[in-house]
Amino acid sequence: MYLVILGAPGAGKGTQVEGLKDKLGLVHIATGDLLREAVRERTLLGQRAEKFITQGRLVPDDIVLELLEDKIGKEKDGFILDGFPRNLFQGRKLDEILSRENRKLDLVLNLDVKESVIIERLGTRLVCSSCDRTYNQENSAASGNTCPVCGASFFQRDDDKPEIIKERLKTYLEHTRPLINYYRKKGILHNVGGAQSPVEITREILNFLNKKENT
Ligand code: ADP
């Protein structure tokens, strides 16, 4: 199965994929994580990408595709893409890459979360400095401010500062949201309301996939 998870920054894409990937036996491909890793390792690509990330803008398509094209080609047993595509060009490119090997996207999950919730979430979110898992104020305090999975300390991402959050939301509305219509027209979009808890959202998605399989 080839899935894409769409949603504004802070909609909970990464959290959902963490809950879904093992149950569905799919590989999680997150472009944001791949880009941040390239920045940390100071690769040529990372150095080119860094300023766009810190400004809350999209990294140019050629950089993202260079990072991703091989990976998508290799993962033949199914994946969930998180953070890609982020504009129509990337959406069309993904179709093209998959169709080269007679593959196609099965489903696009769209996490629909109110803007006020997103701003609140991103402003208070913490990230593990080692594994990139994200935490909110409550669960980070509960774990003694170190990552319960790998023990490393938390930090606030530079792009989770208020003025950059605004820029990322603007980028989302302008470039990424049009993909909702693109996939709706193809008949593969499924909207998931974001008002419920993360566990309930995961359950709703799994129920939906079960029903889809049985029809
Ligand atoms: P979020 O969904 O919370 O904004 P991500 O970790 O997915 O966070 O992305 C962080 C940043 O990485 C984005 O703001 C953007 O600069 C860059 N980025 C990630 N994926 C892409 C992509 N497919 N195309 C262009 N830029 C990207």
Side-chain angles (χ1 to χ4, degrees), residues 9 13 31-32 35-36 57 59 64 83 86 90 157 168:
K13 301 184 291 290
T31 40
L35 286 165
R36 279 185 293 277
R57 294 159 58 202
V59 171
V64 178
R86 243 178 161 97
Q90 294 180 5
R157 260 168 55 177
R168 284 161 65 204

Side-chain angles (χ1 to χ4, degrees), residues 62-189:
D62 64 313
I63 302 182
V64 178
L65 282 164
E66 202 175 321
L67 206 65
L68 206 68
E69 203 162 339
D70 261 11
K71 234 180 157 62
I72 295 177
K74 263 190 243 146
E75 298 298 349
K76 305 233 186 297
D77 295 333
F79 55 65
I80 311 187
L81 277 175
D82 156 11
F84 184 91
R86 243 178 161 97
N87 59 26
L88 285 170
F89 176 81
Q90 294 180 5
R92 293 193 187 104
K93 198 76 197 174
L94 175 61
D95 291 341
E96 186 196 310
I97 297 169
L98 291 173
S99 72
R100 274 183 219 149
E101 298 167 22
N102 293 321
R103 300 188 287 169
K104 65 177 176 51
L105 276 182
D106 295 290
L107 182 68
V108 176
L109 296 164
N110 180 45
L111 291 181
D112 201 358
V113 181
K114 278 201 306 208
E115 189 169 315
S116 55
V117 175
I118 282 170
I119 293 173
E120 155 85 24
R121 265 192 207 162
L122 289 179
T124 57
R125 141 170 116 172
L126 293 169
V127 183
C128 171
S129 53
S130 168
C131 71
D132 265 336
R133 283 186 176 79
T134 56
Y135 296 90
N136 60 32
Q137 268 178 331
E138 258 164 57
N139 57 23
S140 58
S143 70
N145 286 315
T146 51
C147 177
V149 179
C150 64
S153 56
F154 296 131
F155 73 106
Q156 185 181 41
R157 260 168 55 177
D158 282 341
D159 59 347
D160 280 345
K161 307 261 151 73
E163 60 289 3
I164 307 298
I165 292 175
K166 251 191 241 153
E167 197 55 42
R168 284 161 65 204
L169 284 173
K170 210 171 112 201
T171 304
Y172 166 76
L173 292 177
E174 197 175 324
H175 298 281
T176 311
R177 206 170 54 172
L179 282 166
I180 295 178
N181 242 339
Y182 178 75
Y183 289 124
R184 189 178 288 131
K185 280 191 199 143
K186 287 180 179 285
I188 55 171
L189 186 85

